[in-house]
Amino acid sequence: MFTLYINLNDDEFDVNFSKFGQGPQVVMQLSERIPSTAKLYFDNYFSSFWLFEWLRKKKIYASGTIRQDRFMNPPFLNDKQIKKEHGRAFMENVISKTSGVVLTKWYDNSSVLLGSNYEGIGENVGTCQRWDKTKKQFT
């Protein structure tokens, strides 16, 4: 498991709606109607780093799948390198020091990227059994 901390200046977070994009703006408009401390879950079309920070400042917690290019290309390992060096069930995290936005990349058959402004990796990472076709047993 790999964790990297990123520090952004507060002046970089200027509320300029053009940087949010069309999908995140939909979430922003809908979030005006919900109470603070609500939890939102959405897919990568609506996710952006700026949206997670904006919702966090409004005390609205959010998690969802992400597209790596919408998060200023965090320094995750590429899939080929993960497959060669680590294999399945590899996980790495990038955490913003200023806002606490956590990005997690988990690799199985392919990679899944998740972002959250309230949930992190935690201390207890679970395990699961997978069926191995060649060995014909759970591993």
Side-chain angles (χ1 to χ4, degrees), residues 3-49:
T3 303
L4 176 72
Y5 294 92
I6 297 176
N7 191 9
L8 295 175
N9 298 328
D10 284 338
D11 58 349
E12 290 182 39
F13 187 71
D14 178 24
V15 181
N16 178 0
F17 291 113
S18 64
K19 72 178 163 187
F20 286 95
Q22 189 176 26
Q25 284 182 25
V26 171
V27 175
M28 293 167 75
Q29 288 177 349
L30 293 173
S31 69
E32 295 294 330
R33 300 180 181 131
I34 61 174
S36 62
T37 68
K39 294 180 181 176
L40 298 178
Y41 302 92
F42 38 83
D43 69 4
N44 61 31
Y45 179 78
F46 300 100
S47 297
S48 77
F49 178 79

Side-chain angles (χ1 to χ4, degrees), residues 118-137:
Y118 77 100
E119 292 180 310
I121 54 171
E123 292 182 18
N124 299 326
V125 178
T127 59
C128 67
Q129 289 187 338
R130 304 258 341 199
W131 180 257
D132 188 336
K133 289 181 183 179
T134 57
K135 296 178 183 176
K136 296 186 180 178
Q137 66 182 12

